[in-house]
Amino acid sequence: MNLPPSVSVVEVGPRDGFQMEVEFIPTDKKIELVNGLVAAGLRHFEVTSFVSPKAIPQMKDAAQVAAGVERVPGLYLTALVPNPRGAEAAAQAGLDALVVFVSASESHNRANVNRTIEESLEGFKEVARIAEQAGKALRAAIPTSFGCPFEGEVEPAQVSRVIARLRDLGIQSFSLGDTTGMATPPVVDRLIRHLNQEHPGVELIAHFHNTRGIGLVNAYQALRLGVTKLESSVAGLGGCPFSPGASGNISTEDLVYLLREMGIETGVDLDKLIQVANRAEQVMGRTLPGQVMKSGPRLKRFPLPRGRTQKRLAEPPA
Protein backbone atom coordinates (compact mmCIF):
# COMPACT_ATOMS: atom_id res chain seq x y z
CA MET A 1 0.00 0.00 0.00
CA ASN A 2 1.24 3.47 -0.89
CA LEU A 3 0.80 5.14 2.49
CA PRO A 4 2.79 8.13 3.78
CA PRO A 5 5.37 7.56 6.54
CA SER A 6 4.03 10.49 8.56
CA VAL A 7 0.85 12.55 8.77
CA SER A 8 0.08 15.95 10.26
CA VAL A 9 -3.06 15.79 12.40
CA VAL A 10 -4.83 19.16 12.52
CA GLU A 11 -6.95 19.60 15.64
CA VAL A 12 -10.15 21.51 14.82
CA GLY A 13 -12.10 20.75 18.00
CA PRO A 14 -11.51 24.19 19.53
CA ARG A 15 -13.37 25.69 16.56
CA ASP A 16 -15.48 23.06 14.81
CA GLY A 17 -16.23 21.23 18.04
CA PHE A 18 -16.81 24.04 20.50
CA GLN A 19 -19.02 26.06 18.14
CA MET A 20 -21.72 23.37 18.32
CA GLU A 21 -22.06 23.54 22.10
CA VAL A 22 -25.22 25.32 23.28
CA GLU A 23 -23.96 26.17 26.76
CA PHE A 24 -21.04 28.60 26.71
CA ILE A 25 -17.77 26.85 27.56
CA PRO A 26 -15.78 29.00 30.00
CA THR A 27 -12.72 30.51 28.36
CA ASP A 28 -10.34 28.98 30.88
CA LYS A 29 -11.74 25.52 30.11
CA LYS A 30 -11.21 26.04 26.39
CA ILE A 31 -7.62 27.10 27.02
CA GLU A 32 -7.08 24.15 29.36
CA LEU A 33 -8.21 21.67 26.70
CA VAL A 34 -6.13 23.26 23.95
CA ASN A 35 -3.01 23.30 26.10
CA GLY A 36 -3.66 19.68 27.04
CA LEU A 37 -3.71 18.82 23.34
CA VAL A 38 -0.47 20.74 22.85
CA ALA A 39 1.10 18.75 25.70
CA ALA A 40 -0.04 15.55 23.97
CA GLY A 41 2.04 16.50 20.93
CA LEU A 42 -0.44 18.11 18.56
CA ARG A 43 1.09 21.06 16.74
CA HIS A 44 -1.47 22.17 14.15
CA PHE A 45 -4.70 23.78 15.38
CA GLU A 46 -7.73 25.56 14.01
CA VAL A 47 -8.04 27.19 17.37
CA THR A 48 -11.07 29.47 17.04
CA SER A 49 -13.20 31.55 14.69
CA PHE A 50 -13.40 35.34 14.47
CA VAL A 51 -17.09 35.52 13.61
CA SER A 52 -19.86 37.72 14.91
CA PRO A 53 -20.83 36.74 18.48
CA LYS A 54 -24.44 37.18 17.40
CA ALA A 55 -24.01 34.42 14.82
CA ILE A 56 -21.98 32.03 16.99
CA PRO A 57 -21.90 33.15 20.66
CA GLN A 58 -19.51 30.33 21.55
CA MET A 59 -16.71 32.11 19.67
CA LYS A 60 -17.04 35.49 21.42
CA ASP A 61 -13.79 34.88 23.34
CA ALA A 62 -11.70 34.10 20.23
CA ALA A 63 -8.89 36.55 21.02
CA GLN A 64 -8.62 35.40 24.65
CA VAL A 65 -8.42 31.74 23.65
CA ALA A 66 -5.74 32.45 21.06
CA ALA A 67 -3.74 34.44 23.62
CA GLY A 68 -4.00 31.67 26.22
CA VAL A 69 -2.42 28.91 24.13
CA GLU A 70 1.03 27.87 25.30
CA ARG A 71 3.40 28.60 22.41
CA VAL A 72 5.85 25.75 21.95
CA PRO A 73 8.29 25.13 19.07
CA GLY A 74 6.50 24.01 15.92
CA LEU A 75 3.06 25.19 17.04
CA TYR A 76 0.91 26.49 14.16
CA LEU A 77 -2.36 28.23 14.96
CA THR A 78 -5.06 29.20 12.48
CA ALA A 79 -8.56 30.65 12.79
CA LEU A 80 -11.54 31.03 10.50
CA VAL A 81 -12.28 34.58 9.32
CA PRO A 82 -15.53 35.31 7.44
CA ASN A 83 -14.81 38.92 6.49
CA PRO A 84 -12.28 41.78 6.72
CA ARG A 85 -13.34 42.67 10.27
CA GLY A 86 -12.65 39.11 11.40
CA ALA A 87 -9.36 39.12 9.50
CA GLU A 88 -8.21 42.29 11.25
CA ALA A 89 -9.03 40.82 14.65
CA ALA A 90 -7.34 37.50 13.85
CA ALA A 91 -4.20 39.23 12.57
CA GLN A 92 -3.94 41.19 15.81
CA ALA A 93 -4.38 37.98 17.85
CA GLY A 94 -1.02 36.63 16.71
CA LEU A 95 -2.20 33.66 14.68
CA ASP A 96 0.04 32.04 12.09
CA ALA A 97 -2.58 31.86 9.34
CA LEU A 98 -6.05 33.08 8.52
CA VAL A 99 -8.58 30.71 6.99
CA VAL A 100 -11.32 31.92 4.66
CA PHE A 101 -14.23 29.62 3.95
CA VAL A 102 -16.56 29.27 1.00
CA SER A 103 -18.83 26.31 0.31
CA ALA A 104 -18.61 24.28 -2.87
CA SER A 105 -22.41 24.48 -3.23
CA GLU A 106 -24.43 27.67 -3.62
CA SER A 107 -27.20 26.56 -1.26
CA HIS A 108 -24.90 25.79 1.64
CA ASN A 109 -22.92 28.99 1.18
CA ARG A 110 -26.14 30.99 1.41
CA ALA A 111 -27.22 29.03 4.51
CA ASN A 112 -23.79 29.40 6.08
CA VAL A 113 -22.89 33.05 5.40
CA ASN A 114 -25.92 34.45 3.53
CA ARG A 115 -23.86 35.10 0.40
CA THR A 116 -23.45 33.61 -3.04
CA ILE A 117 -20.15 31.90 -3.79
CA GLU A 118 -19.20 34.81 -6.03
CA GLU A 119 -19.96 37.34 -3.30
CA SER A 120 -17.80 35.40 -0.83
CA LEU A 121 -14.90 35.20 -3.28
CA GLU A 122 -15.08 38.91 -4.01
CA GLY A 123 -15.05 39.66 -0.29
CA PHE A 124 -11.89 37.62 0.21
CA LYS A 125 -9.84 40.10 -1.83
CA GLU A 126 -9.79 42.49 1.10
CA VAL A 127 -9.07 39.64 3.52
CA ALA A 128 -6.10 38.63 1.35
CA ARG A 129 -4.81 42.21 1.46
CA ILE A 130 -5.09 42.29 5.26
CA ALA A 131 -3.29 38.95 5.59
CA GLU A 132 -0.47 40.05 3.29
CA GLN A 133 -0.07 43.35 5.11
CA ALA A 134 0.08 41.54 8.46
CA GLY A 135 2.54 38.93 7.16
CA LYS A 136 0.07 36.09 7.76
CA ALA A 137 -0.46 33.06 5.56
CA LEU A 138 -3.88 32.66 3.99
CA ARG A 139 -5.60 29.30 3.64
CA ALA A 140 -9.06 28.18 2.58
CA ALA A 141 -11.71 25.75 3.80
CA ILE A 142 -14.30 24.48 1.34
CA PRO A 143 -17.36 22.97 3.08
CA THR A 144 -19.63 20.55 1.17
CA SER A 145 -16.75 19.41 -1.05
CA PHE A 146 -18.06 15.84 -0.93
CA GLY A 147 -21.77 16.60 -1.10
CA CYS A 148 -24.38 19.13 -0.06
CA PRO A 149 -27.36 18.47 2.27
CA PHE A 150 -29.49 20.78 0.09
CA GLU A 151 -28.28 19.94 -3.43
CA GLY A 152 -26.96 16.39 -3.15
CA GLU A 153 -23.96 15.55 -5.32
CA VAL A 154 -21.28 18.19 -5.77
CA GLU A 155 -19.23 17.57 -8.89
CA PRO A 156 -15.42 17.62 -8.61
CA ALA A 157 -15.35 20.22 -11.38
CA GLN A 158 -17.29 22.61 -9.15
CA VAL A 159 -14.81 22.20 -6.29
CA SER A 160 -12.01 22.70 -8.81
CA ARG A 161 -13.55 25.97 -10.00
CA VAL A 162 -13.73 27.30 -6.45
CA ILE A 163 -10.09 26.33 -5.85
CA ALA A 164 -9.04 28.05 -9.09
CA ARG A 165 -10.64 31.31 -7.93
CA LEU A 166 -9.02 31.02 -4.51
CA ARG A 167 -5.64 30.38 -6.09
CA ASP A 168 -6.00 33.74 -7.82
CA LEU A 169 -5.77 35.21 -4.32
CA GLY A 170 -2.50 33.40 -3.72
CA ILE A 171 -3.97 30.57 -1.62
CA GLN A 172 -2.24 27.20 -2.02
CA SER A 173 -3.67 25.21 0.92
CA PHE A 174 -7.25 23.88 0.86
CA SER A 175 -9.26 21.96 3.43
CA LEU A 176 -11.89 19.80 1.73
CA GLY A 177 -14.87 19.68 4.11
CA ASP A 178 -17.22 16.72 4.40
CA THR A 179 -19.72 18.92 6.20
CA THR A 180 -22.53 16.42 6.78
CA GLY A 181 -20.68 13.13 6.36
CA MET A 182 -21.72 12.53 2.74
CA ALA A 183 -18.31 11.28 1.65
CA THR A 184 -17.72 7.64 0.74
CA PRO A 185 -14.46 6.09 -0.52
CA PRO A 186 -15.51 6.31 -4.21
CA VAL A 187 -16.53 9.95 -3.74
CA VAL A 188 -13.20 10.71 -2.03
CA ASP A 189 -11.32 8.91 -4.78
CA ARG A 190 -13.08 10.80 -7.57
CA LEU A 191 -12.61 14.24 -6.02
CA ILE A 192 -8.99 13.96 -4.93
CA ARG A 193 -7.86 12.36 -8.19
CA HIS A 194 -9.57 15.16 -10.10
CA LEU A 195 -7.98 17.89 -7.96
CA ASN A 196 -4.53 16.29 -8.11
CA GLN A 197 -4.79 16.42 -11.88
CA GLU A 198 -6.28 19.92 -12.15
CA HIS A 199 -4.22 21.57 -9.39
CA PRO A 200 -0.89 19.75 -9.03
CA GLY A 201 1.28 21.03 -6.22
CA VAL A 202 -1.41 22.54 -4.01
CA GLU A 203 -1.87 21.25 -0.47
CA LEU A 204 -5.07 19.27 0.00
CA ILE A 205 -6.27 18.69 3.56
CA ALA A 206 -9.05 16.19 4.27
CA HIS A 207 -11.75 17.09 6.80
CA PHE A 208 -14.21 14.26 7.44
CA HIS A 209 -17.23 13.94 9.69
CA ASN A 210 -18.41 10.62 11.07
CA THR A 211 -22.11 11.25 10.46
CA ARG A 212 -22.66 7.90 8.77
CA GLY A 213 -19.94 5.94 10.57
CA ILE A 214 -17.29 5.80 7.83
CA GLY A 215 -15.21 8.88 8.57
CA LEU A 216 -12.02 6.89 9.26
CA VAL A 217 -12.58 4.79 6.13
CA ASN A 218 -12.66 8.00 4.12
CA ALA A 219 -9.52 9.23 5.88
CA TYR A 220 -7.76 6.00 4.93
CA GLN A 221 -8.81 6.46 1.31
CA ALA A 222 -7.43 10.00 1.33
CA LEU A 223 -4.10 8.71 2.66
CA ARG A 224 -3.89 6.25 -0.22
CA LEU A 225 -4.31 9.16 -2.62
CA GLY A 226 -1.39 11.12 -1.19
CA VAL A 227 -3.09 13.36 1.39
CA THR A 228 -0.75 13.84 4.36
CA LYS A 229 -2.74 16.30 6.46
CA LEU A 230 -6.02 15.29 8.15
CA GLU A 231 -8.32 17.40 10.30
CA SER A 232 -10.07 15.89 13.31
CA SER A 233 -11.70 16.88 16.58
CA VAL A 234 -10.90 15.71 20.10
CA ALA A 235 -13.45 13.17 21.41
CA GLY A 236 -15.43 13.47 18.15
CA LEU A 237 -16.86 16.91 18.93
CA GLY A 238 -18.21 18.95 16.07
CA GLY A 239 -20.75 19.54 13.35
CA CYS A 240 -22.13 22.51 11.47
CA PRO A 241 -24.83 24.77 12.95
CA PHE A 242 -26.16 25.61 9.47
CA SER A 243 -26.38 22.07 8.02
CA PRO A 244 -29.22 19.64 8.74
CA GLY A 245 -27.97 16.28 9.98
CA ALA A 246 -24.42 17.37 10.68
CA SER A 247 -22.74 15.48 13.51
CA GLY A 248 -19.27 15.18 14.96
CA ASN A 249 -15.95 15.13 13.17
CA ILE A 250 -13.78 12.06 13.15
CA SER A 251 -12.26 11.75 16.59
CA THR A 252 -8.63 12.83 16.95
CA GLU A 253 -7.73 9.98 19.28
CA ASP A 254 -9.45 7.43 17.00
CA LEU A 255 -7.51 8.82 14.03
CA VAL A 256 -4.19 8.83 15.87
CA TYR A 257 -4.81 5.24 17.00
CA LEU A 258 -5.53 4.14 13.43
CA LEU A 259 -2.41 5.87 12.10
CA ARG A 260 -0.25 4.40 14.85
CA GLU A 261 -1.52 0.89 14.14
CA MET A 262 -0.58 1.39 10.46
CA GLY A 263 2.93 2.49 11.38
CA ILE A 264 2.33 6.12 10.36
CA GLU A 265 4.08 8.68 12.55
CA THR A 266 2.07 11.59 14.01
CA GLY A 267 4.24 12.83 16.89
CA VAL A 268 1.23 12.52 19.21
CA ASP A 269 1.22 10.71 22.55
CA LEU A 270 -1.98 8.65 22.38
CA ASP A 271 -2.25 8.06 26.13
CA LYS A 272 -2.07 11.78 26.86
CA LEU A 273 -4.52 12.48 24.05
CA ILE A 274 -7.03 10.04 25.55
CA GLN A 275 -6.74 11.83 28.89
CA VAL A 276 -7.63 15.13 27.20
CA ALA A 277 -10.57 13.50 25.40
CA ASN A 278 -11.92 12.23 28.71
CA ARG A 279 -11.43 15.67 30.22
CA ALA A 280 -13.38 17.16 27.31
CA GLU A 281 -16.23 14.81 28.15
CA GLN A 282 -16.21 16.11 31.73
CA VAL A 283 -16.21 19.74 30.55
CA MET A 284 -19.09 19.16 28.13
CA GLY A 285 -21.03 17.21 30.74
CA ARG A 286 -22.16 14.38 28.48
CA THR A 287 -20.93 11.25 26.73
CA LEU A 288 -18.94 12.11 23.60
CA PRO A 289 -18.70 9.90 20.50
CA GLY A 290 -14.97 9.07 20.49
CA GLN A 291 -14.31 5.34 20.80
CA VAL A 292 -10.65 4.89 21.73
CA MET A 293 -11.14 7.24 24.67
CA LYS A 294 -13.51 4.63 26.13
CA SER A 295 -11.61 1.41 25.44
CA GLY A 296 -7.98 2.49 25.08
CA PRO A 297 -5.47 1.01 22.61
CA ARG A 298 -5.95 -2.64 21.57
CA LEU A 299 -3.11 -3.92 23.77
CA LYS A 300 -4.29 -2.19 26.91
CA ARG A 301 -4.25 -4.72 29.76
CA PHE A 302 -7.04 -5.10 32.29
CA PRO A 303 -7.00 -6.87 35.68
CA LEU A 304 -8.84 -10.15 36.00
CA PRO A 305 -12.33 -9.86 37.49
CA ARG A 306 -12.30 -10.28 41.26
CA GLY A 307 -12.69 -13.91 42.32
CA ARG A 308 -11.36 -15.27 39.06
CA THR A 309 -7.98 -17.00 38.79
CA GLN A 310 -5.87 -18.06 35.88
CA LYS A 311 -6.49 -21.70 36.83
CA ARG A 312 -10.27 -21.34 36.83
CA LEU A 313 -10.20 -19.48 33.51
CA ALA A 314 -8.11 -22.25 32.02
CA GLU A 315 -10.48 -25.03 33.10
CA PRO A 316 -12.67 -26.40 30.32
CA PRO A 317 -16.39 -25.74 30.71
CA ALA A 318 -18.47 -28.45 32.41
Side-chain angles (χ1 to χ4, degrees):
M1 293 181 291
N2 187 26
L3 296 173
S6 63
V7 164
S8 294
V9 176
V10 182
E11 175 58 53
V12 300
R15 196 279 301 174
D16 206 349
F18 293 171
Q19 74 176 10
M20 289 295 290
E21 297 301 308
V22 177
E23 295 295 327
F24 183 75
I25 305 166
T27 303
D28 63 329
K29 299 299 183 186
K30 292 175 181 173
I31 294 171
E32 174 197 345
L33 291 172
V34 174
N35 284 334
L37 293 166
V38 172
L42 287 155
R43 291 295 177 265
H44 294 256
F45 288 81
E46 191 173 84
V47 73
T48 190
S49 178
F50 285 83
V51 297
S52 167
K54 293 181 180 179
I56 304 181
Q58 193 65 250
M59 298 287 103
K60 66 183 181 181
D61 57 356
Q64 296 97 308
V65 171
V69 179
E70 182 181 355
R71 300 303 178 100
V72 299
L75 188 67
Y76 194 82
L77 300 182
T78 72
L80 286 188
V81 295
N83 50 42
R85 179 180 295 180
E88 292 278 10
Q92 294 173 9
L95 298 163
D96 298 294
L98 314 184
V99 183
V100 295
F101 54 100
V102 55
S103 302
S105 69
E106 286 286 354
S107 298
H108 186 267
N109 205 65
R110 287 180 179 275
N112 202 23
V113 295
N114 198 29
R115 293 180 182 178
T116 66
I117 291 175
E118 183 61 32
E119 287 170 341
S120 287
L121 292 169
E122 281 297 313
F124 294 158
K125 292 179 180 179
E126 178 63 13
V127 173
R129 186 195 65 78
I130 292 168
E132 182 178 16
Q133 192 172 44
K136 305 296 182 182
L138 189 63
R139 300 169 59 183
I142 309 176
T144 66
S145 289
F146 301 94
C148 172
F150 309 111
E151 299 178 21
E153 296 284 1
V154 174
E155 292 300 320
Q158 170 62 12
V159 182
S160 180
R161 284 191 290 269
V162 172
I163 287 178
R165 293 291 305 280
L166 291 165
R167 291 186 71 181
D168 290 341
L169 298 174
I171 299 173
Q172 294 295 315
S173 179
F174 304 93
S175 171
L176 305 173
D178 180 28
T179 311
T180 57
M182 294 176 69
T184 65
V187 173
V188 173
D189 186 90
R190 186 169 70 248
L191 176 60
I192 293 179
R193 286 186 188 277
H194 182 86
L195 297 180
N196 282 341
Q197 182 176 358
E198 294 295 314
H199 302 281
V202 304
E203 180 180 58
L204 298 179
I205 305 167
H207 176 115
F208 295 111
H209 286 239
N210 202 41
T211 310
R212 293 170 175 85
I214 59 170
L216 289 180
V217 179
N218 293 324
Y220 177 75
Q221 182 70 0
L223 292 173
R224 295 182 63 197
L225 295 165
V227 173
T228 59
K229 189 171 284 187
L230 297 168
E231 295 182 344
S232 58
S233 178
V234 63
L237 286 165
C240 176
F242 307 108
S243 296
S247 62
N249 299 54
I250 57 173
S251 161
T252 302
E253 59 278 7
D254 292 359
L255 175 61
V256 169
Y257 170 69
L258 173 66
L259 295 172
R260 189 177 81 167
E261 287 296 310
M262 293 193 298
I264 298 174
E265 180 59 45
T266 63
V268 180
D269 185 316
L270 181 58
D271 291 331
K272 290 183 179 179
L273 179 57
I274 290 172
Q275 291 175 11
V276 181
N278 284 314
R279 176 59 180 151
E281 192 168 75
Q282 294 173 357
V283 171
M284 304 308 157
R286 68 178 195 282
T287 301
L288 298 178
Q291 295 299 303
V292 173
M293 64 185 285
K294 300 176 177 65
S295 57
R298 69 182 179 89
L299 295 180
K300 179 180 179 179
R301 302 294 183 90
F302 296 89
L304 283 168
R306 181 172 296 182
R308 300 275 185 171
T309 65
Q310 291 286 358
K311 179 180 178 182
R312 289 173 65 184
L313 288 174
E315 292 176 352

